[in-house]
Amino acid sequence: MPELKCTVQTCRHNKNFLCDLDKIQVGGSNAKRAGETCCDSFQERHGDTYSNVAGEADPATDIHCEAKECKYNEQCKCHAGKISVEGSNACRCESTECATFKCGY
């Protein structure tokens, strides 16, 4: 599994730049660049939940990827060693992206 770093501090699953989900979904089936991808698992953090950011998260996350053109995508699974999900001020999944995306075609 790739090591996942996430800068999307507005996501309820972000725990100190790691994701507390065991698996995430990266969208962007027609993506040709990183900005056309997104983290479909994003859920906006509401209220004063920044104070509840304690807890466990593991850098190794199963990543299901719909970005078929990405060179790291093998049968809808990400095979990059490390990936970065970005979108620090996101309030919806479309404001996030897989910054590791590389068009392989």
Side-chain angles (χ1 to χ4, degrees):
M1 282 187 271
E3 182 178 311
L4 170 64
K5 295 291 182 189
C6 180
T7 66
V8 187
Q9 292 291 297
T10 54
C11 181
R12 71 181 321 160
H13 301 296
N14 189 307
K15 305 276 194 244
N16 298 316
F17 301 102
L18 298 174
C19 185
D20 70 358
L21 295 174
D22 292 335
K23 61 183 175 180
I24 68 166
Q25 170 91 19
V26 172
S29 59
N30 297 315
K32 302 285 188 211
R33 58 184 185 81
E36 295 173 337
T37 66
C38 65
C39 180
D40 285 337
S41 301
F42 171 86
Q43 290 184 327
E44 187 176 13
R45 187 184 310 269
H46 292 287
D48 189 24
T49 54
Y50 283 104
S51 61
N52 296 332
V53 177
E56 297 298 318
D58 190 333
T61 303
D62 185 31
I63 301 168
H64 181 84
C65 182
E66 294 295 324
K68 298 176 195 115
E69 303 289 330
C70 182
K71 75 176 196 173
Y72 301 114
N73 186 328
E74 294 177 19
Q75 298 178 332
C76 293
K77 293 282 187 186
C78 180
H79 289 278
K82 296 180 181 183
I83 78 159
S84 177
V85 173
E86 298 182 2
S88 59
N89 295 316
C91 58
R92 55 194 179 95
C93 69
E94 294 83 7
S95 299
T96 65
E97 70 178 51
C98 176
T100 307
F101 175 90
K102 298 275 188 270
C103 192
Y105 301 99

